[in-house]
Amino acid sequence: MAHTHHDLSQEVTRMRPAGKTLGLGLLVVGIIAVVAAFILSPSEDGHRRFWFAYLFGLCAITAVSCASLIFTLINHLVRAGWITNVRRILETMALQTILVAVLTLPIIGITLAKNGVIYSWAKPSDTAIVEGPEEGSESHEEKAAGEKAEPAEKAEAGHAEKPDTHHGETDGHYGGAPVDAAPSVAADVTYPNHQAQPGVMRPFDENIARKNHTWLNPTFWSIRILIYVAALAGIAFWYWKTSVDQDATGDMDASDRMFGWSAPALIVAAFATTFIAFDMYMALDPHWFSTMFGVYYFASGTQAMWAIMALFVLALQSRGYLKQSVTKEHRHDLGKFLWAFIFFWGYIAFDQYMLQWYANLPEETFWFDKRGYNYAHPTGYTPIALALLIGRFIIPFLGLVSRHVKRNRFGLGFWAVWLLVFFILDMYHIVIPEYSWTPMHGAPEILAAGGIMALWLGNTIRVLGNHELRAVRDPRVHESLALQNF
Amino acid sequence: MTTLTTPHHGDIPHESNTIPSTGIDAPVVVGLCAEYDDVTAVLEAAEKVRDAGYRHWDVYSPFPIHGIDAAMGIRPTILPWLVLCMGLTGCVFGISMTAWINAFAITMPKPFDWVNLQGYQFLISGKPIWSIQANIPVIFECTVLFSALTAVFGMLLLNKLPMLYNPLFKLEMFRRATSDRFFIALDAGDARFTHEGAKELLESTGALKIETIED
């Protein structure tokens, strides 16, 4: 009931040791899994498969951590009262940007090594044409050239003879092949070659490397990435620290300081997140550019963030924590945000696709081609693209629309788990198609990506366990408790 | 929230017809109004009125009160279902409209060949005449438009708004309903309403003042 102050002194807000043990266990499991994935992945191309699997996991935890930080800041900026009692979970998730920064260092190292293991453009110009896994590069180029030449001849021949087709259909000159089948465009679409030889550059990659590209060159790129992760981790740490310190001091000014810095910090965090998406994940295909990709990445991560928040609240409450301060109303609000971001993600994902579909520029549509969005040329990723549309947008949109589902523990938990699965699938479909045109889901992917997610989860639980589970002395605790949904 | 209904002239006691007409309509009792000075008091009073079984009554407050829905026993609104239905209608409308305008063509047989049902079949960027990708924005906006208009106007109609006149405005004390006082008004149209019974009920809730609403 509103306007009445509850006694929260009996509430359990410190995690029992078992929780911290779980966190540490997950950390150990995560490290072992990542190391195992490295050992299990083929080494002849510099563990390229492992690094893409690693990047897949990193992509997921970066999205969630950055989204958590952005929403921590937004909640301070708008002085949101309702979230106060669950804000510590959000702050701790945002704090994992430190883990993200640490796990990004190997990627920076590989890019600075200029061997093109992850980013094809990072290879120096004089050796721009990559050798394939064995030594097939030259032969591949020749093969591709040969394939190009042959249809071109056919096309020429066909063109010359074209008037005849109207008169004599029994000519037999074309061997049954339709005239339209041989335009030069077809030669560019060398799907099978890409499939067979991951890491083979397209001519444009070579140009980027040759020109010592202003934006995509290893040195400048590494400096930028360091700035992004340092900024994110710094902001996240300051907010987390200020909030945790307030638990001890009860200092009201801390709330004002967090509010005061939230606007500039939000600008920095939003830019850093957007440019991490651009530089680390959009740059996997240097041909492709989408100004919406940063928003897409944010939307995707934010949706997963609300799902994880809801699951944390449900898990903590089922173990007896935060039983009084967090109510059905808070879970309802988490469900509302989760549902809103189902639509937001769908909206952004469709917009990004539709604009590039409409413009139909080869360097843009190629990204969607690889991921099987083109129903005329399905790839191994087509089922994933369809699963994202149906399973991450249409079904959960209808499933979570009702307030009764959001206010029900099982309903909220079910859809949170469901959406997390599709979030991981989304991250997979951002990263892995850049490694191979056939879906890769063997031990390296499962162990590396799963290991990184376990590291993230383990560290979040560990840090949560070391401090109060909610901001116990925040001045808005009772405002949060008075939350009512209509 | 429910609102006080307009006077029920059909409910006027039979005797009132015998009063000699003065040319001006004699005031009719349309309800009782009670004044409270804090939120807790009005919430508790609302619970009492709800438990007494009244249906036609309302609470007036300068600001929204958390928990008033439960205290008044207001049932969930049907508005979400109206919005859902109209949203789906808008979606179907959007699909039909874009398909009709862009891709529709009928040639009628003679002698009706003067009927020319032909859409604007523009070929744009080599795209199909009608495609789901190009038309999703239109379909989406139609869905949103239908839903939003239903939500706004449905809310107004379900609240019987706009209501330009309310006999409560005649009460001097009711002026403070927009600044610092809370009111409960029982409608004489309610099946349980009797002047004495209603007055007794409101007195038992600890009202500061009870006045008769006349119209």
Side-chain angles (χ1 to χ4, degrees), chain B residues 1-3 42-43 46-47 49-51 54-55 57-60 67-75 184-185:
Chain B
M1 281 190 196
T2 54
T3 40
V42 79
L43 269 172
E47 282 165 3
V49 176
R50 173 197 69 192
D51 294 341
Y54 279 82
R55 302 289 297 272
W57 61 291
D58 207 351
V59 176
Y60 301 86
I68 194 70
D69 292 47
M72 288 180 69
I74 294 175
R75 283 163 302 167
I184 289 182

Side-chain angles (χ1 to χ4, degrees), chain B residues 10-70:
Chain B
D11 294 343
I12 301 168
H14 193 67
E15 300 84 65
S16 61
N17 287 347
T18 60
I19 297 170
S21 173
T22 54
I24 306 163
D25 285 344
V28 177
V29 174
V30 294
L32 274 182
C33 184
E35 183 182 12
Y36 302 87
D37 63 354
D38 77 67
V39 173
T40 320
V42 79
L43 269 172
E44 282 167 6
E47 282 165 3
K48 279 191 179 166
V49 176
R50 173 197 69 192
D51 294 341
Y54 279 82
R55 302 289 297 272
H56 296 273
W57 61 291
D58 207 351
V59 176
Y60 301 86
S61 155
F63 50 80
I65 303 173
H66 280 177
I68 194 70
D69 292 47

Side-chain angles (χ1 to χ4, degrees), chain A residues 1-3 343 347 350-351 353-354 357-360 375 398 401 404 482-484 486, chain B residues 39 43 47 64-69 124-125 127-128 131-134 136-137 140-141:
Chain A
M1 176 74 70
H3 311 289
F343 206 95
Y347 186 96
F350 173 75
D351 272 12
Y353 164 69
M354 185 268 286
W357 172 84
Y358 221 108
N360 205 16
Y375 42 76
L398 297 171
V401 68
H404 304 292
L483 174 66
Q484 293 259 326
F486 288 101
Chain B
V39 173
L43 269 172
E47 282 165 3
I65 303 173
H66 280 177
I68 194 70
D69 292 47
I124 299 166
S125 307
K127 298 293 184 294
S131 61
I132 190 77
Q133 288 98 330
I136 283 266
F140 170 73
E141 297 296 347

Side-chain angles (χ1 to χ4, degrees), chain A residues 36-84:
Chain A
F38 185 79
I39 294 164
L40 284 173
S41 68
S43 59
E44 63 265 30
D45 53 356
H47 291 279
R48 191 164 185 270
R49 185 169 172 193
F50 165 77
W51 287 115
F52 270 80
Y54 181 96
L55 209 56
F56 158 38
L58 186 62
C59 185
I61 67 165
T62 310
V64 173
S65 308
C66 292
S68 307
L69 178 58
I70 289 177
F71 260 87
T72 306
L73 297 172
I74 289 177
N75 282 309
H76 282 297
L77 184 61
V78 302
R79 300 194 184 212
W82 77 273
I83 201 160
T84 307

